[in-house]
Amino acid sequence: MNTESVNEEPLFTAVSVSARQLFQLLKCINFAQKAQVRITEEGLRFTVEESRVIHGIAFLEKALFTSYTFSPPVRAQHEDDDGDDTSVFQISLTALLETLSIFGFNEGRDRWTSRDSAYGGVTSSMARGGQDAPFENHTLGTTSVCRLSYAAKGDPLCIVLREAGVTTTCEMVTYEAEDLEEIPLQRDALAQKIIMRSSWLHDAINELASTSPSRLTITASPSAPYFTLSSKGPLGSATVEFSKDQQLLETFHVPNRTVNTYKYSLIRAASRAMAIASKVSIRGDVQGVLSLQFMVEVEDSRLSFVDFRFVPFLPEEGEEDEDEEDEDEHGE
């Protein structure tokens, strides 16, 4: 144990009556073994990245907890985000998820299981917080308590779970934080901004999987076809097109036609978030960086957000000519 933590107030403590909602949000970014955790006054920020081409962020705001206390050392309160911050560390995300689910969750059903076809209109079960919303207390069936605490830099993250008279305590090893570079999105130079129901994006991505693709091309245009997802693989090619109907695309801001290609498996890494979110904001800047921000409804109709960013493929020699020909075709 770090000697700084002896006889001192813990750096952080929080209590939640639902380990499941924490599990569901963190499961959305479970595409790498470790996550970087930043404790702030507003909540816990979990960041996961892979090869600097994708990063995912799940923010567990303090409103998700019945009690939340953050007491940084006085010296740390004046340090900037780039300094040696005692409230930032890495942890095994895989082990954390196993711990949070130690009493077991029924993950076989989500809010979209009984919906109609994703392209066939909105049903009552798809309404905000629908009857089968996965985070509601009556759906969970039992109450539980989850307590998180972090005494000081270098100490383990302590998790205490209580349910039905059974108490489990886990101490998880924490690691030195790494210098993670956030994939930059130029918010003042956006090439597209589209908001739609997350379930429809989820279904479209799954449909394209039939071709065993390695790449996914996203095309947005101010004229028809307005928003297109296409893939090509050893089993053929597939395309999903969305009309500009406001029931499909709630917000559609695309000044000029854009075409960008991404690694399909990376986009698929966000499928968990697509499945449980109610809406998704799809933004892309002039450099082709893609941002997917998912709005997830949790208990008591509160909203949480999970963010992903992706770096596009850079056109290789020979591919640029192909893209130009394709753009001329669409422009005619």
Side-chain angles (χ1 to χ4, degrees):
M1 177 180 288
N2 191 319
T3 54
E4 291 182 12
S5 64
V6 178
N7 297 323
E8 287 187 11
E9 184 181 0
L11 183 73
F12 160 77
T13 59
V15 177
S16 171
V17 294
S18 175
R20 174 169 177 158
Q21 65 181 358
L22 307 182
F23 173 86
Q24 290 278 28
L25 291 170
L26 293 177
K27 185 76 170 176
C28 291
I29 59 171
N30 185 32
F31 58 84
Q33 288 190 342
K34 285 186 179 180
Q36 187 137 304
V37 184
R38 177 179 290 275
I39 307 170
T40 70
E41 295 282 359
E42 292 75 33
L44 301 174
R45 177 186 169 102
F46 288 78
T47 304
V48 178
E49 68 93 28
E50 184 178 303
S51 305
R52 301 187 185 278
V53 294
I54 174 179
H55 81 229
I57 298 173
F59 186 66
L60 309 184
E61 62 175 340
K62 63 189 302 182
L64 294 177
F65 302 90
T66 54
S67 69
Y68 185 98
T69 304
F70 176 47
S71 306
V74 175
R75 64 181 181 281
Q77 293 176 2
H78 304 289
E79 292 174 358
D80 59 40
D81 290 342
D82 297 325
D84 179 21
D85 199 329
T86 58
S87 61
V88 183
F89 56 88
Q90 287 205 342
I91 198 167
S92 168
L93 181 57
T94 304
L96 177 58
L97 290 170
E98 288 178 356
T99 300
L100 291 174
S101 61
I102 200 165
F103 288 118
F105 297 132
N106 178 15
E107 296 188 82
R109 181 179 180 84
D110 60 40
R111 77 172 70 229
W112 311 114
T113 304
S114 60
R115 72 184 187 279
D116 290 342
S117 169
Y119 309 106
V122 181
T123 67
S124 59
S125 65
M126 292 172 64
R128 187 173 181 270
Q131 60 184 5
D132 292 319
F135 299 120
E136 293 186 5
N137 287 329
H138 69 82
T139 305
L140 303 182
T142 59
T143 58
S144 61
V145 174
C146 174
R147 184 179 186 274
L148 308 176
S149 63
Y150 181 61
K153 184 176 181 179
D155 281 356
L157 177 67
C158 184
I159 304 174
V160 179
L161 296 162
R162 295 190 184 92
E163 185 172 308
V166 178
T167 300
T168 300
T169 302
C170 301
E171 290 192 347
M172 303 189 62
V173 176
T174 58
Y175 305 92
E176 285 287 336
E178 292 183 1
D179 184 18
L180 296 184
E181 289 185 17
E182 199 169 280
I183 297 173
L185 178 72
Q186 298 181 48
R187 292 183 176 84
D188 58 347
L190 291 180
Q192 66 184 45
K193 181 178 180 180
I194 298 168
I195 297 177
M196 64 189 296
R197 285 190 177 272
S198 183
S199 62
W200 294 338
L201 178 63
H202 183 237
D203 283 349
I205 295 297
N206 283 342
E207 280 192 26
L208 297 177
S210 61
T211 63
S212 297
S214 60
R215 298 187 183 188
L216 172 72
T217 299
I218 299 178
T219 304
S221 173
S223 58
Y226 297 98
F227 184 54
T228 303
L229 306 178
S230 57
S231 65
K232 189 174 183 180
L235 301 181
S237 60
T239 299
V240 176
E241 295 181 356
F242 292 88
S243 71
K244 200 179 176 182
D245 190 315
Q246 197 167 7
Q247 285 192 337
L248 285 175
L249 305 180
E250 180 182 311
T251 297
F252 186 83
H253 179 69
V254 181
N256 301 295
R257 185 172 182 269
T258 62
V259 181
N260 289 291
T261 300
Y262 307 89
K263 191 171 182 179
Y264 178 83
S265 61
L266 296 183
I267 303 295
R268 192 73 186 267
S271 61
R272 175 80 181 192
M274 294 179 200
I276 70 169
S278 56
K279 294 182 182 182
V280 57
S281 171
I282 305 168
R283 296 176 296 170
D285 66 17
V286 292
Q287 299 297 323
V289 172
L290 175 66
S291 165
L292 298 180
Q293 183 180 66
F294 297 94
M295 184 175 76
V296 182
E297 298 170 19
V298 294
E299 290 179 0
D300 300 324
S301 298
R302 283 196 290 263
L303 300 177
S304 288
F305 294 90
V306 178
D307 297 289
F308 288 84
R309 287 188 191 171
F310 307 87
V311 173
F313 270 113
L314 294 176
E316 295 176 5
E317 193 175 342
E319 291 182 336
E320 289 182 353
D321 296 336
E322 255 178 59
D323 291 341
E324 284 171 8
E325 284 174 19
D326 187 53
E327 284 181 14
D328 291 339
E329 245 175 67
H330 283 83
E332 289 177 1

